[in-house]
Amino acid sequence: MGQRSTGSYKDVSLEDYVRRNARQLGRDVSERRASPVQLCEMALSLAKRTEPAINAYVCFLDDYALAIARERENEARQGRIRSPLHGVPIAIKDNFYLAGHPVRKGSLTTTDSPATYDSPMIERIVKAGAIVIGKTTMPEFGWKGTGISPLTGVTRNPWDRERNCGGSSAGSAASVAAGAVPIALGSDAGGSVRIPASFCGVVGLKPTLSRIPVYPGTVTETLSHVGPLCRTVDDARLVLTVTEGVCAKDPLSYAARPHNDAERATRLREGTLRIGVIERPFEIAPERGVATAFSAAIARIRRGVVASYDDGATLGPLPRTVFEALWVTGRGLGFKKQVDAHAAIMDPGLVRLGALAKEYDLSRLFRAIEERRTFVSAVCTLFDRFDLLVMPTMPLTAFAADAEVPNGGDASAPLPWITWTPYTYPFNLTGQPAISVPCGVAADGLPVGLQVVGAWGEDELVLDFAERIERVLLHSELGFSPCLRAALSTDTQ
């Protein structure tokens, strides 16, 4: 890969780079074992190797990234380390604003006009020393759970390029799975971090609503979270640590302060944490391959993580009509101007939401809001009995890359993508923290994710338990995606 020493720094091999998480790479930088410039060059080179085969990037920011990398390297030489992420390359979903660079949001209706400010999450992670190498693909305005957009076409899964990578944080998950970056940022209003995390075999965190501020706001404001896709749970913790906190641009952030229940923390230490294991969330059974991998993972977790496990936890009924009402009206009306002016070049599924939104009068919409409150109350009550819930992230593994639904799926549904994501979007209605951790592979050789859900504000507990799960399941045994193995093989030839 054309590695070279930079001053007193040593070369980092490609294999070392892809095996280390963000904290380890940051430590290498702070201890003068790795050059931010070389790490940035390595990330860009590895990311570009997958293009256009994976199609994870809208654009690369070579000049910007390398300039920042040189600044971070000079700071490191002077002993000025901004955070554990100092000098670490990352990627960001193309709905985040980075001053001086376009925000295309997967749409041909947007322009190349540069953003004039940073989104709060970007401002904070860049200030912490991370280096943005590029912007990643997403479906148009993030309206669905696949990686297909009018702007960039199909984003593919590094485990099998004929398969879907999930969405809407499509390119972010794919880039992490392909080894280019240890961290990529995404957003999640119905599963858009956790869906691709599960499909691509990476970690994906959806923090408590607005624990990391969201700006600019979205047309589905009380559903929309931002969070990282990472190599490890520790990476997710790092991102949360440097980007959380109140921000006047997102008033909801004032209600998202950490809760950190002392009794739950004590139960975690003493091995008496109350875990509700749900094999059939909302009474919807996962496919056999997912069920087998999840059951095997739970058996190992029971042996390796001391806690009180209860198979009696249930969730239901599925709040599909509630979510549909909020999503159809929010997206259908929120993008009316774009649809009126540019329908011919937009995603037909998004365009269709405009007509569907007209079917909702105020009484129907307010009924959905009332039903949402009832659902949220029922789920919150469940956390009087349990400290955490554990379940599959997705009921299936990745399906065809160019499909909107799996074989036999309901492509005619108002929101086709929620017909195959029943385990993720309910927790956007509740705003609770949830993380997807790789827990194995199905018989088809594709990754399976395990989801941990916590009570509102209990992000640290979710992360603590997820780290214990990760150690027991030996996340690394999932191995490298075929895409990454090919890159490593090419590098050693």
Side-chain angles (χ1 to χ4, degrees), residues 45-115:
S45 177
L46 189 53
K48 290 177 182 180
R49 288 188 188 193
T50 68
E51 301 298 296
I54 300 301
N55 189 29
Y57 283 84
V58 179
C59 63
F60 292 105
L61 306 178
D62 300 60
D63 292 344
Y64 163 84
L66 289 168
I68 296 296
R70 287 189 287 271
E71 289 181 12
R72 299 295 168 264
E73 186 160 310
N74 287 334
E75 291 171 350
R77 289 180 184 280
Q78 298 168 29
R80 294 190 290 125
I81 302 298
R82 293 168 175 245
S83 84
L85 288 176
H86 189 103
V88 175
I90 67 169
I92 64 174
K93 186 177 180 179
D94 197 25
N95 59 348
F96 285 102
Y97 286 57
L98 176 64
H101 303 281
V103 188
R104 298 304 305 273
K105 301 183 182 181
S107 181
L108 293 169
T109 70
T110 55
T111 72
D112 285 328
S113 298

Side-chain angles (χ1 to χ4, degrees), residues 346-357:
M346 293 181 69
D347 186 320
L350 177 55
V351 170
R352 190 165 66 100
L353 296 187
L356 293 174

